[in-house]
Amino acid sequence: MAGAAPQGASRSEVYRGNGPRLMLPTWVFIGIFLVLPVGLMAIYSFLTKEFRGGVIWEFTWAAYDQFFLDRGLFGDEPPSIEWTYIGIFWRSIWQAGLATVLCLLIGFPTAWFIATREASARPVWLFLVTIPYWVNLLIRTVSMKFLIRDNGPLNEFLLWTGVISDPLSLINTNFAVQLGLFYSYLPFMVLPIYSAVERYDFALSEAAADLYSDNWTTLRLVILPVVKPGIVAGCILVFVPSLGAFLAPDLLGGAKTFMIGSLIEEQFKGAAGNWPFGAAAAMILLSIVMAVLLLHARAQSKEAS
Amino acid sequence: MDQHSVAVDVDRVVKRYGTVTALHGVSMDIRQGEFFTLLGPSGCGKTTLLRCIAGFEDVSEGAIRLKGEDIAPLPPHKRPVNTVFQQYALFPHMTVLENVSFGLRRRGWSDRDASGRSREVLEMVRLSDFAKRRPGQLSGGQQQRVALARALAPGPEVLLLDEPLSALDLKLRQAVRVELKQIQRETGIAFVFVTHDQEEALTMSDRIAVMSEGRVQQIGSPRAIYEAPQNRFVADFIGETNLLDVTVTSVSAGMAELELPGGLPLRCPAAEGAVQGAGHVSVRPERIAIGAPGAGTLPATVADHVYLGTDIQLHAKLDDGAPILVRMQNAGQDSVPEAGSRLGLTIEAGAARLLAD
């Protein structure tokens, strides 16, 4: 009979046995569109640059050398550490970290609020959180630029209320970049925390209060540890794309807020680009992200055992 | 009873949720060291009252006094009472030992002292070997004991238990009943135990408060509740009973003269508040004797019987059509009265009780 269990296999084994086959399309997709391009990028980072963009198939360390080492203007001085790109990376990590903290500070109470509404009202709130996503990120970021520019609505309003007498110059600052990152990625913080808080058993808070914990102690010792997986997921989902973001830094920031994403983007744009160098920067960024994710995975598997 | 032997004094507590009143001025004294049960069907207010004592609900009116001090205005973390929750509510990210130490640590005990005391309590609930486990690695019965240990460790004045056995299967529940009662005696802490299971209430409690629709119906020992119910709700809720319509001719000094259906006269104890006129008598099915119809007996016709092993249940009808249930002990009788046969039922004076309503 078709579909009958093979001899000796239980029903549940048969059902679970379908798992690997169900994954096949995913494996093919990831292979073609993720592993292949990243592999290609890894190879490019070791090739020689072509001046009009593109690569020459000659193996060299030049891209990594350029990233880490300063050999002077003509490349003939003894090498010292090149701080320019490390500085850009460091600033990016710092910006992405700050954006993550801001998203957490605003996102956690938001998620808590939504998860504690009536079950029937929650989908409405979640829908409201996702509304900005109906609009393209580029358009949203440009609108943000329009909002905060020197003679934009925000400044006009503040001038009108008399809070300020001269327009604040917000555009092209770290603040503007933060605002852009925060606005772009806040829902990625809210949604995983929401799903963790929704599953949180509020009897645990009662138990903590019953055992002499005030509200802050309960938050610190019971609520946060229990919903931690959601918080960590949210932080990763905000930190990782913030680190590689280029729209917000490009459109809202200036030369001083240059981030990794923009650095990489520039290398592949037009004739001034340097593909191997862009590829090398991308590989270094990838290594940092992988290191963070591996650390998290290790901590989690340790906790589970 | 003197003032000091009262552990919790619940004084005319009213609890309203918007327009709904969950507790209508409930009063009771819970004595030190007693096993006190709040018994009633779901929605009777027993859990609400427990949550008011724990502090999870504010009372709308009235006072809850612990050793004479009104704790009703205090938040839960300032009340010297601890709770065993229905689904245990153990902290999943902590070990058993950390769970049990939690209350002591919050009260400022050092890590070492708290661990020492927690280990003693874990020993009492026979879980010493599980101190390092997480709650998720324990069975339901073990989790229940951790919840008990966690609530006992800080040495509360009163322990509140919210249907703690309802999540266990029947066999385990019966074993835990004995154990729980034993721990209560050993510790000497007053237990306030909420349940809808009358058997649980009867077997474990020193005293029971039967509740219905936000009111206390009767407070008394299991024996008093079963043998001397105050009203129809209590008589009907606890065990099986026959409620017969009777005409009361006189009530004096706790005894009533009345006429059973069909005019048979009976003298029996009366609940406080019972009055002359139409009333109800409660007669337990196992306290009715059956015999041949004759003078001085209540005539009835057998409708059916149910074999229950230790007992045989007779469903009969009185001559006015009212159903009556009789329980015969299975003493190896050869024959059980057939359907349609006529019986004469005898109700002894002590077997019946005139109810207040």
Side-chain angles (χ1 to χ4, degrees):
Chain A
M1 198 174 75
Q7 285 268 304
S10 77
R11 271 277 154 210
S12 70
E13 274 168 13
V14 172
Y15 291 137
R16 250 176 279 146
N18 283 332
R21 264 181 288 163
L22 293 175
M23 276 295 283
L24 197 64
T26 312
W27 286 126
V28 171
F29 188 86
I30 287 179
I32 295 175
F33 294 105
L34 185 79
V35 177
L36 211 64
V38 171
L40 207 61
M41 211 34 72
I43 295 170
Y44 270 28
S45 72
F46 292 104
L47 296 179
T48 307
K49 76 168 174 176
E50 168 84 71
F51 276 101
R52 292 177 307 277
V55 288
I56 302 166
W57 285 81
E58 269 170 43
F59 176 83
T60 172
W61 292 97
Y64 291 95
D65 192 287
Q66 184 189 349
F67 190 95
F68 289 111
L69 296 176
D70 178 8
R71 293 178 190 273
L73 196 56
F74 302 103
D76 53 359
E77 288 167 37
S80 59
I81 293 177
E82 167 66 75
W83 289 107
T84 314
Y85 305 115
I86 296 174
I88 291 173
F89 265 59
W90 174 244
R91 200 162 58 217
S92 302
I93 291 171
W94 194 83
Q95 282 275 22
L98 188 62
T100 308
V101 171
L102 283 177
C103 282
L104 180 60
L105 288 179
I106 303 291
F108 185 85
T110 309
W112 186 270
F113 173 85
I114 298 173
T116 51
R117 293 312 96 191
E118 293 283 328
S120 58
R122 287 176 213 159
V124 180
W125 287 104
L126 286 176
F127 175 73
L128 291 177
V129 167
T130 57
I131 274 189
Y133 280 70
W134 295 56
V135 179
N136 178 283
L137 177 62
L138 178 63
I139 294 172
R140 273 185 285 142
T141 310
V142 171
S143 332
M144 181 70 81
K145 182 175 185 151
F146 169 78
L147 263 178
I148 63 171
R149 66 187 174 164
D150 291 359
N151 52 356
L154 182 68
N155 268 318
E156 299 267 318
F157 176 75
L158 289 176
L159 284 170
W160 177 75
T161 56
V163 177
I164 52 172
S165 53
D166 292 306
L168 296 172
S169 87
L170 298 169
I171 205 77
N172 302 342
T173 61
N174 273 330
F175 173 80
V177 176
Q178 275 304 320
L179 203 63
L181 291 176
F182 168 76
Y183 177 60
S184 303
Y185 299 119
L186 181 62
F188 291 127
M189 185 64 85
V190 173
L191 296 177
I193 296 181
Y194 162 78
S195 92
V197 174
E198 200 203 14
R199 274 178 281 125
Y200 177 74
D201 176 7
F202 285 90
L204 294 181
S205 293
E206 288 188 348
D210 192 61
L211 294 160
Y212 317 109
S213 300
D214 57 34
N215 289 345
W216 284 110
T217 313
T218 301
L219 179 70
R220 189 166 56 87
L221 295 179
V222 178
I223 296 169
L224 288 180
V226 171
V227 303
K228 196 175 85 183
I231 294 175
V232 172
C235 287
I236 288 176
L237 288 181
V238 171
F239 181 78
V240 171
S242 296
L243 195 56
F246 59 90
L247 273 182
D250 268 7
L251 293 173
L252 302 171
K256 280 184 191 165
T257 60
F258 202 65
M259 283 175 70
I260 315 174
S262 313
L263 175 69
I264 297 173
E265 188 209 6
E266 264 186 9
Q267 307 310 318
F268 291 95
K269 233 167 46 178
N274 178 343
W275 287 20
F277 182 70
M283 292 317 290
I284 294 164
L285 175 62
L286 184 66
S287 320
I288 295 173
V289 171
M290 290 304 283
V292 170
L293 293 181
L294 276 176
L295 277 177
H296 167 240
R298 268 221 350 229
Q300 267 207 326
S301 68
K302 221 179 189 176
E303 225 165 78
S305 64
Chain B
M1 203 172 60
D2 66 302
Q3 194 62 42
H4 297 290
S5 63
V6 175
V8 186
D9 170 14
V10 176
D11 190 5
R12 285 162 290 178
V13 166
V14 175
K15 174 67 189 172
R16 289 185 213 95
Y17 296 100
T19 56
V20 180
T21 305
L23 296 172
H24 297 267
V26 167
S27 295
M28 59 186 70
D29 282 342
I30 296 153
R31 296 168 195 160
Q32 261 167 31
E34 82 172 331
F35 198 116
F36 190 89
T37 298
L38 300 173
L39 174 66
S42 58
C44 73
K46 57 190 191 301
T47 296
T48 304
L49 178 58
L50 194 84
R51 292 175 61 80
C52 286
I53 299 174
F56 305 137
E57 307 282 352
D58 293 323
V59 304
S60 308
E61 279 171 41
I64 296 170
R65 287 183 209 95
L66 206 90
K67 287 182 154 179
E69 186 206 354
D70 186 7
I71 58 167
L74 297 180
H77 69 272
K78 293 196 172 146
R79 301 185 185 201
V81 299
N82 293 130
T83 307
V84 177
F85 291 84
Q86 189 167 11
Q87 304 295 335
Y88 318 137
L90 298 175
F91 305 127
H93 57 297
M94 297 182 194
T95 63
V96 167
L97 188 68
E98 285 165 345
N99 264 281
V100 177
S101 309
F102 191 90
L104 293 167
R105 298 286 286 132
R106 301 287 82 68
R107 295 200 115 181
W109 285 45
S110 73
D111 192 21
R112 214 170 129 236
D113 292 350
S115 292
R117 159 85 179 141
S118 299
R119 282 181 193 284
E120 281 173 35
V121 182
L122 279 174
E123 193 144 330
M124 187 166 71
V125 299
R126 298 183 290 107
L127 276 178
S128 304
D129 297 341
F130 297 88
K132 291 265 186 293
R133 302 267 189 101
R134 295 277 170 93
Q137 300 167 298
L138 303 181
S139 71
Q142 289 165 339
Q143 291 186 25
Q144 202 269 338
R145 270 142 60 196
V146 177
L148 181 64
R150 184 178 69 174
L152 281 172
E157 298 285 338
V158 179
L159 190 76
L160 309 173
L161 303 100
D162 184 10
E163 308 219 21
L165 308 186
S166 60
L168 304 178
D169 61 55
L170 184 68
K171 263 266 155 56
L172 196 55
R173 209 181 310 161
Q174 285 168 341
V176 173
R177 265 184 217 166
V178 178
E179 208 173 341
L180 202 56
K181 179 78 190 164
Q182 203 175 335
I183 286 169
Q184 190 267 328
R185 264 196 226 108
E186 271 172 37
T187 55
I189 295 173
F191 278 28
V192 182
F193 185 90
V194 162
T195 185
H196 63 268
D197 182 331
Q198 43 144 324
E199 193 186 321
E200 221 164 80
L202 291 175
T203 52
M204 297 169 78
S205 317
D206 293 315
R207 286 193 307 150
I208 299 170
V210 182
M211 293 181 68
S212 161
E213 293 177 347
R215 290 189 173 83
V216 174
Q217 301 296 324
Q218 187 171 1
I219 300 178
S221 68
R223 198 187 165 97
I225 297 276
Y226 187 80
E227 312 244 336
Q230 172 68 19
N231 54 33
R232 276 184 287 171
F233 179 83
V234 177
D236 196 39
F237 188 73
I238 311 289
E240 281 176 328
T241 200
N242 293 293
L243 293 174
L244 304 178
D245 295 321
V246 297
T247 311
V248 184
T249 44
S250 75
V251 182
S252 72
M255 292 301 282
E257 304 277 353
L258 51 85
E259 279 180 8
L260 289 172
L264 190 70
L266 181 74
R267 187 178 148 78
C268 72
E272 202 177 316
V275 288
Q276 235 169 290
H280 294 90
V281 153
S282 161
V283 189
R284 298 289 179 191
E286 72 274 15
R287 302 288 298 272
I288 301 175
I290 60 170
T297 66
L298 191 60
T301 310
V302 178
D304 196 7
H305 75 263
V306 180
Y307 181 79
L308 294 172
T310 57
D311 291 308
I312 295 160
Q313 215 175 43
L314 283 183
H315 293 273
K317 272 193 165 39
L318 298 181
D319 287 353
D320 63 355
I324 189 159
L325 192 68
V326 181
R327 222 174 233 269
M328 306 163 49
Q329 214 169 38
N330 185 354
Q333 301 96 319
D334 288 338
S335 66
V336 176
E338 291 289 326
S341 59
R342 294 283 289 165
L343 295 175
L345 306 178
T346 313
I347 298 167
E348 305 157 45
R353 182 172 170 86
L354 178 64
L355 303 172
D357 58 349

